Amino acid sequence: MKGIIVLCTLFLISCNSTKKIDCNNNQEHSMIFDGKIFTSLYQQNAAEYRALCLQAYNMAAIRLDQFKPTTKLPKAIITDIDETVLDNSPYPIHQALISKDFNSDSWFEWSSMSAADTVPGAPAFLKFASKLGVEIFYITNREERERDCTLKNLIKYDLPNADTNHLFLKSGTSSKEIRRQKVASTHEIVMLIGDNLGDFSKLFDKKTSQERTANVDVSLNEFGNKFIVIPNPNYGDWEGALLKYNYKLSSKQKDSVYRNFLKTY
Ligand SMILES: [Mg+2]
């Protein structure tokens, strides 16, 4: 009798351990809200996040030292702002705690406070580059109405070239290609810094997840050289690609789409 009970128990354990979990099964925790709080917690508290940012900016300094100009044009570094120079992690936490997703008006409320902290390593690196005579151009998809508050936030940390001529905001398209070309028409671009692949090349504009991954491999030699990537677990075009860039979906619909990409066993 004892033997039969042991066998049955073993059978039940083996059934449980091989039963595949359905990623759509447990939806009481939203990836949009709980997920953003957790990734922001990482951004604000993980020493590993800090180390990754410092690693990226250390690499940028090494590459800048090694840079050999090929033209007589003045040298420039193109950098993104959000989650590259400025840390906006309080915003997604604020939104998630009131069960709201990103929207441009609430974002504007946050950005107009000019209260963002800096990403570790960014101020020191940009000041170092500036001392070497390299101009910094900030190319961001913040809106025109954010011009003053953005400059105020950059000036707060005494960041170089924090003036209206070096700040390229979004006008029309979210692609940064035209703005990059504008800088390249007058300057030799030493490097580009960003947390989103669209900060580097049009190869990544509005592409599917598979195309983005394939194009990272195409650009393999640029990363850690001309392209310096800052970690951002919280948001980016990687999300947009999963949503097929349909940002009009409700947070529940987005959650559902994301779950289809989860892998478990
Ligand atoms: Mg960014």
Side-chain angles (χ1 to χ4, degrees):
M1 186 62 184
K2 220 175 180 182
I4 292 169
I5 291 170
V6 170
L7 276 175
C8 286
T9 309
L10 283 174
F11 175 71
L12 284 173
I13 290 171
S14 104
C15 283
N16 274 340
S17 65
T18 53
K19 191 182 173 198
K20 192 175 186 302
I21 294 172
D22 179 358
C23 293
N24 280 294
N25 240 357
N26 177 355
Q27 296 202 4
E28 66 181 288
H29 300 296
S30 160
M31 295 174 74
I32 309 296
F33 305 132
D34 301 358
K36 298 271 180 190
I37 290 176
F38 199 72
T39 51
S40 303
L41 179 72
Y42 172 84
Q43 190 173 341
Q44 292 182 348
N45 294 280
E48 288 81 356
Y49 168 76
R50 181 174 179 80
L52 280 167
C53 295
L54 294 178
Q55 178 174 267
Y57 280 110
N58 280 347
M59 184 57 81
I62 291 168
R63 294 305 179 220
L64 180 56
D65 262 342
Q66 294 171 336
F67 183 74
K68 290 189 175 55
T70 55
T71 72
K72 291 207 164 128
L73 290 171
K75 294 193 284 295
I77 287 174
I78 291 178
T79 183
D80 168 53
I81 293 181
D82 295 315
E83 274 45 70
T84 298
V85 173
L86 295 181
D87 170 354
N88 299 286
S89 54
Y91 171 75
I93 296 176
H94 175 272
Q95 290 302 96
L97 291 176
I98 55 170
S99 302
K100 299 273 186 207
D101 203 351
F102 171 92
N103 65 70
S104 61
D105 285 343
S106 62
W107 167 262
F108 182 56
E109 269 177 35
W110 157 252
S111 67
S112 63
M113 292 163 67
S114 306
D117 202 346
T118 52
V119 168
F125 172 71
L126 296 179
K127 287 174 190 177
F128 167 69
S130 182
K131 274 197 181 133
L132 294 181
V134 180
E135 270 179 75
I136 313 301
F137 285 88
Y138 300 90
I139 299 188
T140 172
N141 280 343
R142 287 185 173 206
E143 298 171 12
E144 188 56 48
R145 63 175 168 167
E146 298 177 87
R147 183 176 290 277
D148 290 346
C149 61
T150 302
L151 288 174
K152 191 176 166 195
N153 209 155
L154 298 175
I155 289 166
K156 189 173 173 181
Y157 299 104
D158 203 20
L159 296 177
N161 302 118
D163 57 59
T164 204
N165 293 333
H166 290 82
L167 177 62
F168 289 69
L169 299 150
K170 183 165 82 172
S171 62
T173 174
S174 61
S175 170
K176 295 184 170 180
E177 182 63 15
I178 292 170
R179 288 171 279 169
R180 279 192 291 265
Q181 283 173 5
K182 198 169 177 196
V183 177
S185 67
T186 53
H187 290 72
E188 183 168 3
I189 310 300
V190 179
M191 70 178 68
L192 302 103
I193 314 172
D195 64 294
N196 192 46
L197 291 171
D199 296 329
F200 302 104
S201 160
K202 65 178 178 184
L203 266 183
F204 301 104
D205 286 341
K206 294 278 187 274
K207 294 293 196 302
T208 64
S209 281
Q210 291 86 345
E211 288 167 332
R212 298 179 92 246
T213 302
N215 286 342
V216 163
D217 293 350
V218 167
S219 313
L220 181 66
N221 294 326
E222 301 284 17
F223 296 105
N225 286 305
K226 195 170 182 180
F227 299 169
I228 301 295
V229 190
I230 308 300
N232 178 5
N234 201 272
Y235 66 91
D237 281 352
W238 65 271
E239 276 184 295
L242 298 180
L243 301 171
K244 296 194 168 70
Y245 300 97
N246 182 5
Y247 295 109
K248 286 185 179 156
L249 294 175
S250 69
S251 39
K252 203 164 185 181
Q253 288 169 320
K254 285 182 190 169
D255 187 82
S256 214
V257 172
Y258 293 153
R259 282 172 194 275
N260 290 330
F261 291 93
L262 292 172
K263 292 172 190 162
T264 184
Y265 61 92

